[in-house]
Amino acid sequence: MAELEGLEFGKSDFVLLDEVTMEQFMDNLKLRFEKGRIYTYIGEVVVSVNPYRQMDIYGKDAIDAYRGRELYENPPHLYAVSDAAYKAMKRRAKDTCIVISGESGAGKTEASKYIMQYIAAITNPSQREEVESVKNVLLKSNCVLEAFGNAKTNRNDNSSRFGKYMDINFNFNGDPTGGHINNYLLEKVRAAEDLYLLPGTFPVFLQLLRGGSEEILKSLHLENDPALYTYTREGAAAATSNNDRSNHKAVMSALEVIGFSKEEIRSIYQILAAILLLGNVEFGSDGESVQVLGQDTVDHISELTATDPECVTKGLLYRTVATGGGEVIEKGHTEKDACFGRDAFAKALYERLFGWIVSRINGIIEVKNYNPVLHGKNTVIGVLDIYGFEIFDNNSFEQFCINYCNEKLQQLFIELILQQEQQEYQREGITWQHIDYFNNQIIVDLVEQQHKGILSILDEACLTVGNVTDTVCLDSMDTKLAQHPHYTSRKLSPTDKTMDFQKHFRIRHYAGDVTYSVEGFLDKNKDLLFQDFKRLMYNSADPVLKEMWPDGQLSITEVTKRPLTAATLFKNSIVALVDKLACKEPYYVRCIKPNEMKSPVLFDDARCQHQVAYLGLLENVMVRRAGFAYRQQYPRFLQRYKMTCEYTWPNHLMATDREAVEAIITQHGFQGDVAYGHTKLFVRTPRTLFTLEQERATLIPILVLFLQKVWRGALARLRCRRMRAIYAIMGCYKRYKVKAHFWEVERRFAGVRTMPDYGKSVEWPAPVDVNLLTRLALIAAVRWWARQIVKNIPPSDMLEVRAKVAALSSLSGERKDWGIGRAWERDYLSNARDCPQTSSAFIRVSKELKSKDGYGQVVFSGFCRKVNRFNKSTDRALLVTDKYVYKLEPKKQYKVLKRLPLDSVSTHTGALRHAHTLATLSETLQ
């Protein structure tokens, strides 16, 4: 648990500091950095210090340790805040966002990657294929966007040159179903500089040149030496990497996994090659006109962009202009204008390419055909990774835009964390000690206010007809903003020699004073790309390029509306970004850069203190210490935790929900850790909430079992009532069918008593097999008919009839002829009419045996044939009496060969019964 960390590691939460002072804050931050603890909490805000080395605190084991845990259960970590955002989204169906902020080089990009990896790891435990596909695309998109959107700078090896905000959509089960990436401000004004002027460059160019195969490079008219190309020459010297080949393969693989076709990937690299070749296009002048030096390069560019070489040359050397009267003329460039147009074209190509890649990824991962009624509420977790506050020796238009972006994000942080929280305490009637903090709204207004802000002044200057220079624009700013406390210039502060006249102005940002050079502001704010290039790309035979330039379909006479300036586009995108973040529950990661040397052991106190100050972390600690970690409206709190109190489950009988909530808090003994507002309950520490969550989690399975029992009982009773109804209907139907059957039987057999065969010849109606009663009735009818036949048999013949019935039940189907059609005489040897001598001999022997053995009567006598095991047969005679069974030799005057008492045959039944059984069986053999 976080609070169980040893004191040697410092305080894991700045809220636990003994005194909230800058000295104690910095001492704790430094101690934890030196001890390898790069994460520290301020309540639910994570302060992250860039370690500048690999840390063994990530991976599967760490993910398992933080999965489903509360913030304070483990040491501070990015995984903890990621899990908190995920749980809030899943438990309360609340859209959340994780805002990662800090200056360039503070570790924001790496933090966003770890957050994405954690969310991907804890979702989709059932490994559903469609969910895994979405996760793979989201993760692989990072690889692609880094290659195309990050660059090595003099302050950061992997600096984001664009702002990325990714929305991840989740279904009701908490599994990702899609997403959307917003590409905020790929620095249009910076793209050409990163390609040419800055020492760093976009990794994708070096990866292509150093990692591409010879076959690929040959098809793109490139060579594997970055020094041969103007846009990569400086960057190649500064950015040395041994992993370009593997990184190139990783990007190619990621594009395929995401879903780009082979043709699209081919077009992407053709555009990259065309950009590199554009940088090598040179111009020469003979005093009257400008020519392209080296037509081969232009031919290669036209081949790569699927355009006509003459049109490419014409676009580089001339500009088509429509006059007021509708006349179209071609205006030739000067050598300087041609170079400027070439670089603007390369910059626009790369910007459109990046935007198309982001749009294509969105088209693949966006949720399609999502019906909340069928699939449940679609919730979102947003992750913002955007470049941080920048202060360089020479700050131009791009630093101005970036710092304005950070001012807006800081304003959002102030509104959500500081201002709204204090206002809510006042609104709810909670006793509260007001915390003073700097509200940077005044700086935001300085930049974006209508008609008075710097952006409005820049746009006005760009729209003004005539020769309006950067110096004229600066004079206008000095005039309109002279009284603003956060703006100054050398004209307004003549004694400040750190600024030059007609060149510099200074803004007091929340992060510190920044001096900007006005040179190039107007050019960078305008859309200087000639329409000829737009039409050239729209008419390309490459469908990817054509799709990137929809504005090129307008003819020169149709293009009348002036395009929006870079500042206006910038402002609109920032406002949209802030609106997106404001409607979500925010979680913050505040990144700090410990030193400028990228050292894993150096902690620059002054540098870090400056970042702590402008990030407002000290004020955040004060508000958190004085405030409450959790707040919830009474009905929602009661609905979630009412099962933990006997007085509120299942429904309370109190006057208000507040009284019921008080009963829950009192039963658990949390009275000292909460405050009661007018409409909300405020909980001071997360431990109280965690204890309630634990008890709720314990009770949920019990309640589920109870609900299952009740529901199963209801289903069983419903099934029982249905079965009873079914059986009632079946009973009525069966009774009707039986009655109908009996009525038909009664009709057909009405006169059987007078028939000679007692109705044997009458055809029975079709049987109704509805129940046992019908079968019993049929059996009774058959027995009645049999009884009518049997009662006419003489009593002297009944013994033989019973014997034949017994034989019928035993031998039916076993023998074809078993003597049922003849009279059974039993004592065949005594009644042998065809052989009187045999009969007299047997009678004499039977009398001797009767006198000797004392049996009562002869049950059966007759000839039989004995077959031994060798299949030899011998004639024998068989005599069955009520006591013995005799085997006799007929050829020797019926000599007794063997005598067998009947009681030795079976001790369970009478001898006479067995004698009759043997006699019956023997009769069937005659």
Side-chain angles (χ1 to χ4, degrees), residues 389 400-414 438-444 447 507-512 574:
F389 195 86
F400 172 76
C401 293
I402 290 171
N403 293 340
Y404 161 62
C405 170
N406 281 270
E407 289 284 358
K408 290 289 288 185
L409 293 178
Q410 177 68 7
Q411 182 193 28
L412 179 67
F413 177 78
I414 290 172
F438 172 68
N439 190 337
N440 70 331
Q441 181 64 49
I442 187 173
I443 304 176
V444 174
V447 176
I507 297 177
R508 291 179 56 194
H509 287 285
Y510 77 95
I574 286 296

Side-chain angles (χ1 to χ4, degrees), residues 745-759 762 784:
V745 170
E746 182 181 9
R747 185 186 67 79
R748 294 191 183 190
F749 289 85
V752 294
R753 294 181 183 274
T754 60
M755 294 181 181
D757 59 355
Y758 298 102
V762 176
W784 175 85

Side-chain angles (χ1 to χ4, degrees), residues 840-891:
S840 60
F842 174 75
I843 292 173
R844 177 178 55 79
V845 172
S846 64
K847 288 181 178 179
E848 292 177 356
L849 292 175
K850 183 177 182 180
S851 173
K852 178 180 179 182
D853 296 331
Y855 61 82
Q857 61 177 339
V858 174
V859 179
F860 176 81
S861 66
F863 292 108
C864 62
R865 181 163 295 172
K866 173 188 174 183
V867 179
N868 63 13
R869 60 180 177 174
F870 302 107
N871 204 26
K872 292 184 178 182
S873 61
T874 306
D875 292 334
R876 293 287 187 265
L878 181 67
L879 172 61
V880 180
T881 67
D882 55 359
K883 288 186 178 182
Y884 298 97
V885 176
Y886 301 92
K887 182 172 69 172
L888 308 176
E889 173 58 76
K891 296 181 179 180

Side-chain angles (χ1 to χ4, degrees), residues 828-833 835-844 894:
Y828 288 95
L829 296 180
S830 298
N831 300 322
R833 299 179 180 86
C835 189
Q837 293 180 352
T838 300
S839 175
S840 60
F842 174 75
I843 292 173
R844 177 178 55 79
Y894 294 99

Side-chain angles (χ1 to χ4, degrees), residues 33-71:
F33 174 76
E34 292 173 346
K35 295 292 185 179
R37 299 298 193 268
I38 62 173
Y39 299 121
T40 313
Y41 289 139
I42 303 177
E44 293 183 347
V45 176
V46 175
V47 179
S48 171
V49 183
N50 192 341
Y52 287 117
R53 60 188 173 94
Q54 293 294 326
M55 302 285 289
D56 190 22
I57 57 174
Y58 309 101
K60 185 178 184 301
D61 293 339
I63 290 173
D64 293 337
Y66 283 87
R67 185 199 306 264
R69 300 293 183 180
E70 298 300 324
L71 274 174

Side-chain angles (χ1 to χ4, degrees), residues 50 52 102-108 153 155-160 388-390 591-595 598 611:
N50 192 341
Y52 287 117
E103 68 176 49
S104 179
K108 301 183 300 300
T153 67
R155 305 185 72 198
N156 186 4
D157 288 341
N158 193 31
S159 178
S160 295
F389 195 86
E390 291 188 348
C591 298
I592 292 178
K593 186 176 183 178
N595 59 77
K598 304 174 186 176
Q611 296 174 73

